[in-house]
Amino acid sequence: MAYMESHGLKRARPAELVPGTVSVITARMDYLPRSTPEGWQALESDRLSRPQEGIVSVYARGRDYHKVLRARLQKLSDRIATELGPLGYRVFTDSAPVLEAELAARSGQGWRGKHTLVLNREAGSMFFLGEIYVDRALPPTAPTSGHCGSCSACIDVCPTQAIIAPQRLDARRCISYLTIEHAGPIPLEFRPLIANRIYGCDDCQLACPWNKFAQRSALPDFDERRGLSGQQLGTLFSWTEDEFLRYTEGGPIRRIGHERWLRNVAVAMGNALRAGEDADIRLALQQRAEDPSALVREHVAWALGI
Ligand code: SF4
Ligand code: SF4
């Protein structure tokens, strides 16, 4: 997580990042797919009881939110400029040098839950955040109060104990970080705990009582793409690089690349085999035992228990 250090003060002081910034407009956008059924939290949690199925985090099953949010923030900025006259601005979403959750909390989008994500009373935590840095002084909105109370469901449910204290996350232990941001081998101690999660992890959000208020997106962009939920690990592992690029085109998963994808799926397949012998999974793993990537070979060997 070297980017945390490398951006230094730019993270804490918006004007260091974009000179001339006087105010930051924060925004949030709900992302539950439009067809999300009632009781979705329990349905999502049930996926863990089917070890041969790969679990992709809910937010990652549709279009890449970076593109959607950026385009919308850009449009909003243009409209503001039309109203106010010339405006210096820059839009961000999920950008390393921006302390996004903190800006959102300070501007009243919600409070930081014990899992560190921003929680809103009317929307839970299933939303993306974005910011517009502007060179105009705007009246600040007030922060909201916290409403976690004595709940600790997210801390208790976290499979890797990544939430080391309320509002303190050890990203190196977090399955979201390990399966998405982390580039090298997945540390051995975490592999069994990852179970069948192959891209991200929603468990702390699924456990959170506030997510009964999570909202469906108004846009089709975050609807689930075919093949990214309820899919068998063997199928996901059989994708060639071309197929991986095709099936993930325009989506956030594409960013991790085929090699990291295979690494993640291999870990899940190893966990499926440990849960019960499965000839198809074993065969699929054996077929990649000589994969050109050393990273993939090592995870396949681990999965096969070699
Ligand atoms: S995303 Fe998963 S691993 Fe990370 S803190 Fe939440 S429950 Fe733990
Ligand atoms: S699960 Fe409980 S403690 Fe964790 S963020 Fe939600 S309300 Fe707060």
Side-chain angles (χ1 to χ4, degrees):
M1 304 197 76
Y3 66 86
M4 288 279 194
E5 274 179 49
S6 65
H7 292 294
L9 278 176
K10 287 183 186 164
R11 285 171 57 78
R13 296 186 194 155
E16 303 259 340
L17 179 63
V18 182
T21 298
V22 181
S23 306
V24 177
I25 300 171
T26 62
R28 56 168 205 83
M29 183 181 259
D30 300 314
Y31 68 69
L32 281 185
R34 292 178 302 171
S35 61
T36 302
E38 284 305 311
W40 62 275
Q41 284 164 284
L43 293 174
E44 288 301 327
S45 297
D46 277 354
R47 297 185 193 280
L48 284 164
S49 63
R50 299 191 290 272
Q52 288 87 2
E53 176 182 325
I55 307 178
V56 169
S57 197
V58 173
Y59 82 85
R61 297 177 195 165
R63 224 183 131 209
D64 191 338
Y65 60 97
H66 297 91
K67 295 179 187 164
V68 180
L69 220 58
R70 191 176 288 273
R72 296 219 144 205
L73 289 172
Q74 192 71 39
K75 215 165 161 183
L76 176 61
S77 308
D78 291 343
R79 279 172 63 181
I80 295 172
T82 310
E83 293 290 324
L84 298 184
L87 180 77
Y89 70 86
R90 200 164 142 196
V91 306
F92 293 97
T93 182
D94 192 23
S95 175
V98 178
L99 283 171
E100 190 153 68
E102 199 50 36
L103 286 169
R106 289 194 193 180
S107 56
Q109 299 284 5
W111 72 96
R112 302 290 295 271
K114 290 181 186 172
H115 50 22
T116 72
L117 300 168
V118 177
L119 275 173
N120 180 292
R121 289 180 79 134
E122 279 93 45
S125 60
M126 312 302 277
F127 49 77
F128 302 121
L129 295 172
E131 304 77 33
I132 310 174
Y133 282 32
V134 294
D135 63 356
R136 293 285 184 103
L138 299 172
T141 46
T144 58
S145 47
H147 298 280
C148 283
S150 59
C151 175
S152 62
C154 53
I155 298 176
D156 301 338
V157 83
C158 178
T160 54
Q161 293 169 337
I163 308 169
I164 50 179
Q167 283 121 17
R168 282 196 63 203
L169 183 85
D170 183 348
R172 296 163 304 179
R173 302 185 69 86
C174 175
I175 294 170
S176 258
Y177 171 75
L178 289 168
T179 55
I180 301 173
E181 315 290 341
H182 177 69
I186 294 182
L188 288 172
E189 63 177 306
F190 297 123
R191 293 185 193 179
L193 304 173
I194 287 174
N196 51 337
R197 302 170 188 86
I198 55 169
Y199 188 96
C201 168
D202 287 331
D203 289 30
C204 49
Q205 301 197 85
L206 297 177
C208 180
W210 284 103
N211 270 330
K212 63 173 172 283
F213 301 111
Q215 304 288 327
R216 277 109 190 117
S217 173
L219 307 173
D221 302 73
F222 306 125
D223 287 352
E224 281 186 14
R225 292 176 166 200
R226 213 154 40 90
L228 289 180
S229 73
Q231 190 63 272
Q232 296 296 295
L233 291 169
T235 304
L236 299 168
F237 200 59
S238 71
W239 287 355
T240 61
E241 183 158 19
D242 281 351
E243 285 169 328
F244 170 80
L245 293 174
R246 184 147 34 94
Y247 294 137
T248 60
E249 187 166 10
I253 299 175
R254 203 176 215 241
R255 291 164 171 258
I256 69 168
H258 188 231
E259 184 185 42
R260 231 185 269 184
W261 173 257
L262 292 178
R263 174 200 69 177
N264 294 351
V265 182
V267 168
M269 291 171 99
N271 290 329
L273 282 185
R274 284 159 178 81
E277 185 51 38
D278 183 306
D280 292 340
I281 285 190
R282 186 168 291 279
L283 181 64
L285 282 164
Q286 283 163 343
Q287 284 169 344
R288 284 207 187 265
E290 301 301 326
D291 193 274
S293 155
L295 182 73
V296 174
R297 285 200 305 276
E298 188 271 312
H299 285 73
V300 166
W302 176 85
L304 289 166
I306 297 170

mmCIF file of all heavy atoms in Angstrom, residues 113-115 119 147-148 151-154 204 207-210, ligand 2:
data_model
loop_
_atom_site.group_PDB
_atom_site.id
_atom_site.type_symbol
_atom_site.label_atom_id
_atom_site.label_comp_id
_atom_site.label_asym_id
_atom_site.label_seq_id
_atom_site.Cartn_x
_atom_site.Cartn_y
_atom_site.Cartn_z
ATOM 1 N N GLY A 113 -18.694 3.534 9.604
ATOM 2 C CA GLY A 113 -19.061 2.349 10.375
ATOM 3 C C GLY A 113 -17.829 1.735 11.009
ATOM 4 O O GLY A 113 -16.694 2.116 10.682
ATOM 5 N N LYS A 114 -18.046 0.773 11.880
ATOM 6 C CA LYS A 114 -16.885 0.133 12.501
ATOM 7 C C LYS A 114 -16.038 -0.603 11.466
ATOM 8 O O LYS A 114 -14.869 -0.862 11.687
ATOM 9 C CB LYS A 114 -17.342 -0.807 13.628
ATOM 10 C CG LYS A 114 -17.877 -0.014 14.831
ATOM 11 C CD LYS A 114 -18.322 -0.883 15.985
ATOM 12 C CE LYS A 114 -18.978 0.009 17.046
ATOM 13 N NZ LYS A 114 -19.626 -0.751 18.132
ATOM 14 N N HIS A 115 -16.632 -0.931 10.320
ATOM 15 C CA HIS A 115 -15.861 -1.559 9.228
ATOM 16 C C HIS A 115 -15.132 -0.517 8.373
ATOM 17 O O HIS A 115 -14.517 -0.870 7.371
ATOM 18 C CB HIS A 115 -16.755 -2.429 8.352
ATOM 19 C CG HIS A 115 -18.022 -1.773 7.870
ATOM 20 N ND1 HIS A 115 -18.196 -0.410 7.785
ATOM 21 C CD2 HIS A 115 -19.191 -2.313 7.447
ATOM 22 C CE1 HIS A 115 -19.406 -0.140 7.326
ATOM 23 N NE2 HIS A 115 -20.034 -1.282 7.120
ATOM 24 N N LEU A 119 -21.610 4.840 6.185
ATOM 25 C CA LEU A 119 -22.975 4.324 6.338
ATOM 26 C C LEU A 119 -23.960 5.480 6.335
ATOM 27 O O LEU A 119 -23.733 6.495 7.005
ATOM 28 C CB LEU A 119 -23.111 3.607 7.682
ATOM 29 C CG LEU A 119 -22.684 2.145 7.754
ATOM 30 C CD1 LEU A 119 -22.739 1.681 9.195
ATOM 31 C CD2 LEU A 119 -23.586 1.284 6.894
ATOM 32 N N HIS A 147 -24.210 5.864 14.149
ATOM 33 C CA HIS A 147 -25.322 5.041 14.630
ATOM 34 C C HIS A 147 -24.962 3.563 14.660
ATOM 35 O O HIS A 147 -25.804 2.716 14.346
ATOM 36 C CB HIS A 147 -26.560 5.269 13.758
ATOM 37 C CG HIS A 147 -27.051 6.680 13.804
ATOM 38 N ND1 HIS A 147 -27.815 7.167 14.845
ATOM 39 C CD2 HIS A 147 -26.828 7.731 12.970
ATOM 40 C CE1 HIS A 147 -28.074 8.448 14.624
ATOM 41 N NE2 HIS A 147 -27.479 8.812 13.506
ATOM 42 N N CYS A 148 -23.730 3.241 14.986
ATOM 43 C CA CYS A 148 -23.377 1.825 15.144
ATOM 44 C C CYS A 148 -23.783 1.327 16.531
ATOM 45 O O CYS A 148 -24.095 0.147 16.701
ATOM 46 C CB CYS A 148 -21.873 1.607 14.963
ATOM 47 S SG CYS A 148 -21.339 1.642 13.236
ATOM 48 N N CYS A 151 -23.412 -2.390 18.341
ATOM 49 C CA CYS A 151 -23.283 -3.454 17.333
ATOM 50 C C CYS A 151 -21.817 -3.713 17.021
ATOM 51 O O CYS A 151 -20.996 -2.790 16.995
ATOM 52 C CB CYS A 151 -24.010 -3.019 16.055
ATOM 53 S SG CYS A 151 -23.821 -4.159 14.674
ATOM 54 N N SER A 152 -21.483 -4.976 16.789
ATOM 55 C CA SER A 152 -20.120 -5.289 16.335
ATOM 56 C C SER A 152 -20.194 -6.416 15.305
ATOM 57 O O SER A 152 -19.249 -7.188 15.147
ATOM 58 C CB SER A 152 -19.241 -5.702 17.516
ATOM 59 O OG SER A 152 -19.779 -6.873 18.116
ATOM 60 N N ALA A 153 -21.329 -6.495 14.591
ATOM 61 C CA ALA A 153 -21.539 -7.609 13.655
ATOM 62 C C ALA A 153 -20.444 -7.703 12.602
ATOM 63 O O ALA A 153 -20.001 -8.805 12.257
ATOM 64 C CB ALA A 153 -22.903 -7.462 12.993
ATOM 65 N N CYS A 154 -19.995 -6.552 12.097
ATOM 66 C CA CYS A 154 -18.970 -6.592 11.038
ATOM 67 C C CYS A 154 -17.645 -7.124 11.580
ATOM 68 O O CYS A 154 -16.951 -7.909 10.929
ATOM 69 C CB CYS A 154 -18.790 -5.219 10.397
ATOM 70 S SG CYS A 154 -18.464 -3.893 11.570
ATOM 71 N N CYS A 204 -18.640 -8.034 5.675
ATOM 72 C CA CYS A 204 -18.924 -7.046 6.721
ATOM 73 C C CYS A 204 -20.144 -6.206 6.349
ATOM 74 O O CYS A 204 -20.892 -5.759 7.218
ATOM 75 C CB CYS A 204 -17.701 -6.171 7.012
ATOM 76 S SG CYS A 204 -16.886 -5.474 5.587
ATOM 77 N N ALA A 207 -23.394 -8.360 6.852
ATOM 78 C CA ALA A 207 -23.759 -8.519 8.266
ATOM 79 C C ALA A 207 -24.347 -7.240 8.857
ATOM 80 O O ALA A 207 -24.959 -7.278 9.931
ATOM 81 C CB ALA A 207 -22.523 -8.927 9.066
ATOM 82 N N CYS A 208 -24.172 -6.143 8.177
ATOM 83 C CA CYS A 208 -24.533 -4.850 8.777
ATOM 84 C C CYS A 208 -26.051 -4.616 8.724
ATOM 85 O O CYS A 208 -26.651 -4.609 7.645
ATOM 86 C CB CYS A 208 -23.817 -3.725 8.031
ATOM 87 S SG CYS A 208 -24.217 -2.106 8.728
ATOM 88 N N PRO A 209 -26.665 -4.395 9.881
ATOM 89 C CA PRO A 209 -28.126 -4.208 9.882
ATOM 90 C C PRO A 209 -28.581 -2.997 9.071
ATOM 91 O O PRO A 209 -29.700 -2.976 8.568
ATOM 92 C CB PRO A 209 -28.468 -4.045 11.367
ATOM 93 C CG PRO A 209 -27.179 -3.764 12.071
ATOM 94 C CD PRO A 209 -26.088 -4.356 11.239
ATOM 95 N N TRP A 210 -27.725 -2.011 8.904
ATOM 96 C CA TRP A 210 -28.129 -0.816 8.157
ATOM 97 C C TRP A 210 -28.333 -1.105 6.677
ATOM 98 O O TRP A 210 -28.997 -0.332 5.978
ATOM 99 C CB TRP A 210 -27.106 0.314 8.341
ATOM 100 C CG TRP A 210 -27.240 0.954 9.686
ATOM 101 C CD1 TRP A 210 -26.434 0.757 10.774
ATOM 102 C CD2 TRP A 210 -28.270 1.862 10.115
ATOM 103 N NE1 TRP A 210 -26.887 1.477 11.839
ATOM 104 C CE2 TRP A 210 -28.018 2.176 11.468
ATOM 105 C CE3 TRP A 210 -29.363 2.437 9.494
ATOM 106 C CZ2 TRP A 210 -28.815 3.033 12.201
ATOM 107 C CZ3 TRP A 210 -30.172 3.301 10.222
ATOM 108 C CH2 TRP A 210 -29.895 3.590 11.560
HETATM 109 S S1 SF4 B 2 -22.213 -4.065 11.327
HETATM 110 FE FE1 SF4 B 2 -22.769 -2.869 13.149
HETATM 111 S S2 SF4 B 2 -20.816 -2.047 13.877
HETATM 112 FE FE2 SF4 B 2 -20.478 -2.736 11.808
HETATM 113 S S3 SF4 B 2 -20.790 -0.908 10.557
HETATM 114 FE FE3 SF4 B 2 -22.763 -1.973 10.646
HETATM 115 S S4 SF4 B 2 -23.845 -1.052 12.390
HETATM 116 FE FE4 SF4 B 2 -21.694 -0.474 12.568
#
